[in-house]
Amino acid sequence: MTNDYTITTKNLNLFYGDFQALKNVSIDIPSNQVTAFIGPSGCGKSTFLKTLNRMNDLIPNVKITGEVYFDGLNVYKEYDIVELRKNIGMVFQKPNPFPMTIYDNIAYGPRIHGIKSKSKLDDIVENSLRNSALWDEVKDRLKQNALGLSGGQQQRLCIARVLAIEPEIVLMDEPTSALDPISTLKIEDLMEELKKNYTIIIVTHNMQQAARISDITAFFLHGEIVEFGNTNQLFSNPKDKRTEDYITGRFG
Amino acid sequence: MVRNSFDKELEQLQSLMVKMAGLVEESIENSVIALKKQDIELARQVYESDDTIDDLESKIEKICINLIARQQPLAKDLRAISTALKIITDMERIADQAADIAELTIRIAAMKYIKPLIDIPLMADLVKKMVIKSIDSYIKQDIILAKEVCDSDDEIDDLFSKIVLELINIMKNNPETVEQATDFMFVVKYLERIGDHATNIAEWVVFNVTGSHEHMA
């Protein structure tokens, strides 16, 4: 925990062609906390998440103005993209394990980053799986294909895969929307554990999930942040009427 | 096991409840001793601890509201949180009334009591035991104990009527006693109300365990 804010954005605007998806987004995201983005479909929350590790680079016709800083450096000007994504890992909506063994899924990243020692890789695989609360379930079948795991296990494997490269931040884009309730709660418990060592930023359609797990919540609407603050406050006594209407289901 | 952080928050809520209950127990206990011994220092202490209890009440209240807002509690979790929210009001009122008794104790501490206190301490002890038992029943989630609390409320009510009648007679016979006797009248009324609050607590304990809330006294 070197600084209070790990990610800072200043007047961030994003256009898909003529359509403006983000409007002057300026926030500071604190380290070692869970920050959740909520809002209706198309409000810009996922788009915003993707700007943080430049996942939008691959989308044609995207234009970005304004700044995103990670650990004080400009994400779009001062980072090599490989280095950036090593530090800012990502977990997606649908678990996407590689079609290889459980072990190789986890070892994949570290190998790419040049780690060859068997014992070192063994350690990384074990630690990552322990930290993603999957070790006990898979320790006897590390050499089996990862696609044989259940959806919830696959998602924890994907989290382990991210942890294996020791990022500072873990971005999660709807990480439990394809999972059953118990797997969902397991991932939620995991986030609570992970925030001791990582900064977690999560986009979720499930407002109750944001309420359960996050320390800080941002409510997005039409590409803007309407309200950003302490989760207790935002869910028990929001400041903005639009936030109130959204979280009480009286939206629109 | 899942929902670790929710369980941890529920445990934290429970330990604050136990802490508040302990302070309330101490308040009523000390207010009774102070009244009997005309101990100004102790009465003052009771009076001052009321603020701490009020602070704890709002702290617990906030935790409950946040838990409801954030954790979508259901079944026994929902009952535990609603019970806590209801019980803290009764505990806070008990502490208030103990402070009221302490205040009266301070006012009449320099006077010689108009009569030797026999029935009032008896009633006070019973009420104190009721409070302790109701809190115990909450901590242990023991409905048998809770029902005992409700049963003893009648005894308190009988003593209340008896003492009030006695005080009226004293005042009739000697109008100079009116001032102090009125204070004692308040004391017994406060004690009677504390008994009611202990009964409320016990009724909520029964609700917490069984899911149904009935008035039992």
Side-chain angles (χ1 to χ4, degrees):
Chain A
M1 227 193 293
T2 46
N3 49 355
D4 293 346
Y5 297 109
T6 171
I7 293 239
T8 295
T9 69
K10 287 194 178 131
N11 295 319
L12 189 71
N13 291 285
L14 184 143
F15 300 83
Y16 293 120
D18 291 336
F19 175 73
Q20 186 168 6
L22 293 176
K23 296 170 191 162
N24 284 317
V25 177
S26 300
I27 56 171
D28 298 315
I29 297 176
S31 38
N32 294 94
Q33 306 254 299
V34 176
T35 300
F37 299 159
I38 59 167
S41 294
C43 67
K45 57 191 190 298
S46 287
T47 296
F48 181 69
L49 189 78
K50 287 176 194 155
T51 62
L52 306 182
N53 70 341
R54 290 174 55 182
M55 295 299 281
N56 292 311
D57 281 15
L58 301 170
I59 303 170
N61 293 322
V62 165
K63 195 182 116 208
I64 294 172
T65 67
E67 283 98 42
V68 179
Y69 294 98
F70 162 56
D71 280 351
L73 296 177
N74 191 313
V75 160
Y76 286 86
K77 293 180 180 146
E78 295 173 280
Y79 274 98
D80 163 59
I81 196 156
V82 175
E83 181 62 19
L84 178 73
R85 292 195 187 147
K86 183 186 176 303
N87 283 300
I88 308 182
M90 194 159 189
V91 176
F92 300 87
Q93 183 169 0
K94 284 200 183 130
N96 52 354
F98 304 134
M100 50 177 80
T101 67
I102 294 169
Y103 185 98
D104 288 340
N105 259 279
I106 314 288
Y108 190 88
R111 277 178 181 141
I112 279 186
H113 289 286
I115 295 172
K116 291 196 181 73
S117 145
K118 169 91 170 62
S119 65
K120 204 163 181 190
L121 284 171
D122 285 351
D123 283 350
I124 291 174
V125 169
E126 177 169 347
N127 286 333
S128 307
L129 286 169
R130 280 191 191 283
N131 289 333
S132 69
L134 189 59
W135 175 252
D136 289 337
E137 292 162 56
V138 301
K139 61 174 187 263
D140 301 321
R141 45 173 170 152
L142 294 175
K143 296 294 174 190
Q144 286 177 20
N145 196 302
L147 297 175
L149 297 172
S150 74
Q153 289 171 327
Q154 287 187 9
Q155 194 62 309
R156 277 178 284 149
L157 179 77
C158 292
I159 293 173
R161 199 170 62 190
V162 168
L163 302 184
I165 53 165
E166 297 183 333
E168 200 174 304
I169 300 179
V170 181
L171 306 180
M172 298 186 172
D173 192 358
E174 303 259 10
T176 63
S177 59
L179 305 181
D180 69 275
I182 298 298
S183 300
T184 297
L185 292 173
K186 278 186 186 162
I187 303 253
E188 290 181 4
D189 273 358
L190 182 56
M191 285 185 227
E192 177 79 21
E193 274 305 303
L194 289 178
K195 75 175 186 189
K196 292 172 192 157
N197 297 311
Y198 306 89
T199 299
I200 312 279
I201 306 173
I202 175 177
V203 163
T204 175
H205 261 128
N206 180 339
M207 204 155 47
Q208 284 75 24
Q209 177 169 65
R212 283 195 295 268
I213 56 166
S214 70
D215 303 293
I216 315 273
T217 301
F219 170 53
F220 280 76
L221 189 63
H222 307 314
E224 288 173 276
I225 291 189
V226 171
E227 191 160 344
F228 177 61
N230 181 290
T231 301
N232 275 336
Q233 154 88 33
L234 193 134
F235 281 98
S236 55
N237 190 16
K239 292 192 192 90
D240 194 290
K241 183 165 187 312
R242 290 167 295 172
T243 316
E244 174 103 29
D245 288 347
Y246 181 67
I247 64 172
T248 57
R250 290 177 175 80
F251 193 75
Chain B
M1 262 308 264
V2 286
R3 301 208 77 175
N4 283 325
S5 72
F6 181 33
D7 287 338
K8 250 182 255 164
E9 283 177 273
L10 285 174
E11 273 166 34
Q12 190 209 355
L13 169 65
Q14 175 68 6
S15 76
L16 281 175
M17 291 293 289
V18 172
K19 187 176 170 191
M20 183 174 175
L23 289 174
V24 170
E25 231 176 83
E26 203 177 291
S27 266
I28 163 126
E29 178 136 35
N30 286 340
S31 73
V32 172
I33 297 173
L35 178 73
K36 264 194 281 195
K37 297 191 175 162
Q38 297 192 281
D39 184 339
I40 297 186
E41 216 19 70
L42 194 59
R44 205 160 274 152
Q45 217 176 295
V46 172
Y47 194 70
E48 280 159 12
S49 73
D50 196 40
D51 286 344
T52 320
I53 291 169
D54 288 350
D55 290 347
L56 257 177
E57 186 199 18
S58 23
K59 196 171 170 187
I60 291 171
E61 213 171 73
K62 209 170 270 168
I63 291 174
C64 291
I65 288 170
N66 282 335
L67 281 171
I68 293 171
R70 298 187 52 178
Q71 299 290 355
Q72 302 89 47
L74 291 171
K76 72 173 168 40
D77 298 334
L78 180 58
R79 287 205 302 279
I81 294 168
S82 341
T83 300
L85 263 179
K86 295 295 292 186
I87 283 184
I88 52 172
T89 311
D90 286 304
M91 293 205 293
E92 188 270 338
R93 293 300 299 157
I94 292 174
D96 265 359
Q97 277 146 351
D100 289 336
I101 293 173
E103 206 182 350
L104 291 174
T105 301
I106 294 168
R107 219 170 76 162
I108 56 179
M111 305 174 195
K112 188 179 179 308
Y113 283 168
I114 50 172
K115 69 184 257 327
L117 298 189
I118 296 160
D119 282 341
I120 292 179
L122 181 70
M123 181 179 174
D125 272 336
L126 275 175
V127 167
K128 186 185 84 187
K129 278 182 192 137
M130 250 177 109
V131 171
I132 292 174
K133 219 183 231 184
S134 72
I135 286 168
D136 254 16
S137 76
Y138 173 71
I139 292 169
K140 296 178 187 150
Q141 293 300 307
D142 181 339
I143 54 172
I144 294 173
L145 215 52
K147 283 176 179 153
E148 280 175 31
V149 173
C150 301
D151 291 342
S152 49
D153 198 44
D154 288 345
E155 216 175 326
I156 304 289
D157 291 346
D158 291 346
L159 266 169
F160 173 72
S161 316
K162 186 182 159 200
I163 296 168
V164 167
L165 209 64
E166 191 192 347
L167 287 168
I168 290 173
N169 282 330
I170 291 174
M171 287 189 269
K172 272 186 189 156
N173 292 335
N174 183 1
E176 273 173 30
T177 61
V178 165
E179 202 183 329
Q180 207 188 101
T182 312
D183 284 342
F184 282 132
M185 202 84 106
F186 279 120
V187 168
V188 288
K189 184 64 198 165
Y190 291 141
L191 288 172
E192 188 267 335
R193 290 301 300 154
I194 291 174
D196 289 345
H197 288 298
T199 306
N200 287 349
I201 291 175
E203 285 172 356
W204 282 109
V205 170
V206 175
F207 164 79
N208 196 19
V209 176
T210 66
S212 89
H213 184 236
E214 289 160 42
H215 292 287
M216 296 187 299

